[in-house]
PDB file of all heavy atoms in Angstrom:
ATOM      1  N   ARG A  35      10.943   0.122   1.257  1.00  0.00           N
ATOM      2  CA  ARG A  35      11.853  -0.622   0.376  1.00  0.00           C
ATOM      3  C   ARG A  35      11.443  -2.086   0.284  1.00  0.00           C
ATOM      4  O   ARG A  35      11.503  -2.690  -0.790  1.00  0.00           O
ATOM      5  CB  ARG A  35      13.289  -0.486   0.889  1.00  0.00           C
ATOM      6  CG  ARG A  35      13.886   0.896   0.674  1.00  0.00           C
ATOM      7  CD  ARG A  35      15.384   0.897   0.891  1.00  0.00           C
ATOM      8  NE  ARG A  35      15.738   0.664   2.291  1.00  0.00           N
ATOM      9  CZ  ARG A  35      15.870   1.632   3.193  1.00  0.00           C
ATOM     10  NH1 ARG A  35      15.647   2.897   2.848  1.00  0.00           N
ATOM     11  NH2 ARG A  35      16.220   1.348   4.436  1.00  0.00           N
ATOM     12  N   ALA A  36      11.020  -2.660   1.414  1.00  0.00           N
ATOM     13  CA  ALA A  36      10.581  -4.053   1.395  1.00  0.00           C
ATOM     14  C   ALA A  36       9.320  -4.212   0.552  1.00  0.00           C
ATOM     15  O   ALA A  36       9.195  -5.163  -0.241  1.00  0.00           O
ATOM     16  CB  ALA A  36      10.329  -4.537   2.828  1.00  0.00           C
ATOM     17  N   ALA A  37       8.376  -3.282   0.697  1.00  0.00           N
ATOM     18  CA  ALA A  37       7.145  -3.339  -0.091  1.00  0.00           C
ATOM     19  C   ALA A  37       7.446  -3.172  -1.576  1.00  0.00           C
ATOM     20  O   ALA A  37       6.805  -3.804  -2.434  1.00  0.00           O
ATOM     21  CB  ALA A  37       6.172  -2.263   0.379  1.00  0.00           C
ATOM     22  N   GLY A  38       8.425  -2.323  -1.894  1.00  0.00           N
ATOM     23  CA  GLY A  38       8.817  -2.164  -3.289  1.00  0.00           C
ATOM     24  C   GLY A  38       9.408  -3.437  -3.862  1.00  0.00           C
ATOM     25  O   GLY A  38       9.165  -3.783  -5.033  1.00  0.00           O
ATOM     26  N   ALA A  39      10.184  -4.159  -3.042  1.00  0.00           N
ATOM     27  CA  ALA A  39      10.758  -5.429  -3.502  1.00  0.00           C
ATOM     28  C   ALA A  39       9.665  -6.456  -3.757  1.00  0.00           C
ATOM     29  O   ALA A  39       9.710  -7.200  -4.745  1.00  0.00           O
ATOM     30  CB  ALA A  39      11.757  -5.947  -2.476  1.00  0.00           C
ATOM     31  N   VAL A  40       8.662  -6.495  -2.882  1.00  0.00           N
ATOM     32  CA  VAL A  40       7.534  -7.413  -3.081  1.00  0.00           C
ATOM     33  C   VAL A  40       6.778  -7.042  -4.353  1.00  0.00           C
ATOM     34  O   VAL A  40       6.373  -7.915  -5.140  1.00  0.00           O
ATOM     35  CB  VAL A  40       6.595  -7.391  -1.857  1.00  0.00           C
ATOM     36  CG1 VAL A  40       5.340  -8.230  -2.128  1.00  0.00           C
ATOM     37  CG2 VAL A  40       7.307  -7.908  -0.624  1.00  0.00           C
ATOM     38  N   GLU A  41       6.602  -5.760  -4.574  1.00  0.00           N
ATOM     39  CA  GLU A  41       5.889  -5.311  -5.775  1.00  0.00           C
ATOM     40  C   GLU A  41       6.614  -5.744  -7.050  1.00  0.00           C
ATOM     41  O   GLU A  41       5.974  -6.155  -8.031  1.00  0.00           O
ATOM     42  CB  GLU A  41       5.739  -3.785  -5.752  1.00  0.00           C
ATOM     43  CG  GLU A  41       5.029  -3.237  -6.984  1.00  0.00           C
ATOM     44  CD  GLU A  41       5.099  -1.729  -7.076  1.00  0.00           C
ATOM     45  OE1 GLU A  41       5.376  -1.068  -6.054  1.00  0.00           O
ATOM     46  OE2 GLU A  41       4.879  -1.200  -8.187  1.00  0.00           O
ATOM     47  N   ARG A  42       7.920  -5.655  -7.055  1.00  0.00           N
ATOM     48  CA  ARG A  42       8.674  -6.044  -8.256  1.00  0.00           C
ATOM     49  C   ARG A  42       8.464  -7.515  -8.598  1.00  0.00           C
ATOM     50  O   ARG A  42       8.534  -7.895  -9.771  1.00  0.00           O
ATOM     51  CB  ARG A  42      10.161  -5.733  -8.055  1.00  0.00           C
ATOM     52  CG  ARG A  42      10.473  -4.251  -8.118  1.00  0.00           C
ATOM     53  CD  ARG A  42      11.970  -4.000  -8.190  1.00  0.00           C
ATOM     54  NE  ARG A  42      12.652  -4.321  -6.936  1.00  0.00           N
ATOM     55  CZ  ARG A  42      12.766  -3.480  -5.917  1.00  0.00           C
ATOM     56  NH1 ARG A  42      12.236  -2.266  -5.988  1.00  0.00           N
ATOM     57  NH2 ARG A  42      13.418  -3.850  -4.819  1.00  0.00           N
ATOM     58  N   VAL A  43       8.203  -8.324  -7.589  1.00  0.00           N
ATOM     59  CA  VAL A  43       7.948  -9.749  -7.826  1.00  0.00           C
ATOM     60  C   VAL A  43       6.506  -9.998  -8.241  1.00  0.00           C
ATOM     61  O   VAL A  43       6.232 -10.799  -9.148  1.00  0.00           O
ATOM     62  CB  VAL A  43       8.286 -10.567  -6.554  1.00  0.00           C
ATOM     63  CG1 VAL A  43       7.872 -12.025  -6.733  1.00  0.00           C
ATOM     64  CG2 VAL A  43       9.767 -10.471  -6.231  1.00  0.00           C
ATOM     65  N   LEU A  44       5.559  -9.300  -7.613  1.00  0.00           N
ATOM     66  CA  LEU A  44       4.145  -9.628  -7.772  1.00  0.00           C
ATOM     67  C   LEU A  44       3.405  -8.796  -8.815  1.00  0.00           C
ATOM     68  O   LEU A  44       2.317  -9.210  -9.252  1.00  0.00           O
ATOM     69  CB  LEU A  44       3.417  -9.463  -6.423  1.00  0.00           C
ATOM     70  CG  LEU A  44       3.811 -10.389  -5.286  1.00  0.00           C
ATOM     71  CD1 LEU A  44       2.962 -10.089  -4.054  1.00  0.00           C
ATOM     72  CD2 LEU A  44       3.644 -11.849  -5.688  1.00  0.00           C
ATOM     73  N   TRP A  45       3.956  -7.669  -9.242  1.00  0.00           N
ATOM     74  CA  TRP A  45       3.127  -6.735 -10.015  1.00  0.00           C
ATOM     75  C   TRP A  45       2.534  -7.368 -11.274  1.00  0.00           C
ATOM     76  O   TRP A  45       3.233  -7.960 -12.095  1.00  0.00           O
ATOM     77  CB  TRP A  45       3.914  -5.489 -10.431  1.00  0.00           C
ATOM     78  CG  TRP A  45       3.000  -4.462 -11.033  1.00  0.00           C
ATOM     79  CD1 TRP A  45       2.354  -3.450 -10.386  1.00  0.00           C
ATOM     80  CD2 TRP A  45       2.606  -4.353 -12.411  1.00  0.00           C
ATOM     81  NE1 TRP A  45       1.577  -2.734 -11.251  1.00  0.00           N
ATOM     82  CE2 TRP A  45       1.702  -3.255 -12.504  1.00  0.00           C
ATOM     83  CE3 TRP A  45       2.907  -5.075 -13.565  1.00  0.00           C
ATOM     84  CZ2 TRP A  45       1.126  -2.875 -13.712  1.00  0.00           C
ATOM     85  CZ3 TRP A  45       2.317  -4.694 -14.763  1.00  0.00           C
ATOM     86  CH2 TRP A  45       1.441  -3.600 -14.824  1.00  0.00           C
ATOM     87  N   ARG A  46       1.223  -7.254 -11.353  1.00  0.00           N
ATOM     88  CA  ARG A  46       0.462  -7.545 -12.561  1.00  0.00           C
ATOM     89  C   ARG A  46      -0.649  -6.504 -12.626  1.00  0.00           C
ATOM     90  O   ARG A  46      -1.087  -5.998 -11.607  1.00  0.00           O
ATOM     91  CB  ARG A  46      -0.174  -8.949 -12.527  1.00  0.00           C
ATOM     92  CG  ARG A  46       0.743 -10.113 -12.235  1.00  0.00           C
ATOM     93  CD  ARG A  46       1.664 -10.443 -13.386  1.00  0.00           C
ATOM     94  NE  ARG A  46       2.362 -11.701 -13.147  1.00  0.00           N
ATOM     95  CZ  ARG A  46       3.411 -11.842 -12.340  1.00  0.00           C
ATOM     96  NH1 ARG A  46       3.881 -10.804 -11.653  1.00  0.00           N
ATOM     97  NH2 ARG A  46       3.990 -13.027 -12.184  1.00  0.00           N
TER      98      ARG A  46
END
Side-chain angles (χ1 to χ4, degrees):
R35 288 193 292 271
V40 174
E41 179 190 342
R42 287 191 290 275
V43 173
L44 295 181
W45 189 91
R46 307 288 190 282

